[in-house]
Amino acid sequence: MTVTTTTTTTWPDDLADAFRSFERHFAAGDFDAIAEQYGPDAVLVWAPGERAEGRAAIRAAFEAAHARGAGLTMEPRAFHIAGDLAVTSFVITFTGMTPDGSPVVTTSTEVLRRGTDGRWRFEVDDPFFSA
């Protein structure tokens, strides 16, 4: 098993593509495409103490946030790859989520699995893991 660890923003193209396409889909409001980027039994911790489990619930969580005017930017921090598993971390800035409009900046943790089709899919997505 090959293990790759880095703290730079030079990520393998296939892993970086998973995050770039996530940002594009969210900005475009393409929630079906976002849901497909998650495993069937994936877990999203959308806010501290609030979990969405499975693609349908995850789709609904992102759609509801987008409808409230939420936006996000993701700045890569680090990743580890062990075989077909990856753990990643970003600094994420959410906009449009607080009553006063102030941005929420948090450090995320994600676990992804590479499928037999070669695509990385989120299995655990917690933007507030470090909170």
Side-chain angles (χ1 to χ4, degrees):
M1 174 183 311
T2 301
V3 177
T4 302
T5 302
T6 186
T7 55
T8 71
T9 56
T10 306
W11 292 37
D13 286 341
D14 59 346
L15 186 58
D17 286 346
F19 289 94
R20 285 192 293 261
S21 64
F22 179 89
E23 283 184 299
R24 271 193 321 274
H25 295 317
F26 186 82
D30 189 347
F31 308 110
D32 289 332
I34 287 174
E36 286 300 314
Q37 288 192 252
Y38 285 81
D41 300 316
V43 173
L44 166 68
V45 181
W46 184 244
E50 293 183 32
R51 293 169 53 107
E53 298 182 33
R55 287 181 176 151
I58 290 168
R59 183 195 188 289
F62 282 114
E63 186 172 21
H66 196 270
R68 291 191 310 266
L72 66 87
T73 58
M74 302 168 66
E75 179 184 330
R77 289 185 62 241
F79 71 92
H80 304 284
I81 296 174
D84 290 332
L85 293 176
V87 176
T88 62
S89 181
F90 285 80
V91 173
I92 298 180
T93 303
F94 291 102
T95 57
M97 293 187 60
T98 60
D100 68 358
S102 62
V104 176
V105 179
T106 184
T107 301
S108 70
T109 302
E110 301 83 19
V111 177
L112 296 92
R113 182 183 313 275
R114 186 180 8 234
T116 56
D117 62 359
R119 289 182 54 203
W120 289 99
R121 288 185 177 79
F122 297 92
E123 296 296 337
V124 179
D125 185 358
D126 190 341
F128 301 95
F129 192 75
S130 65

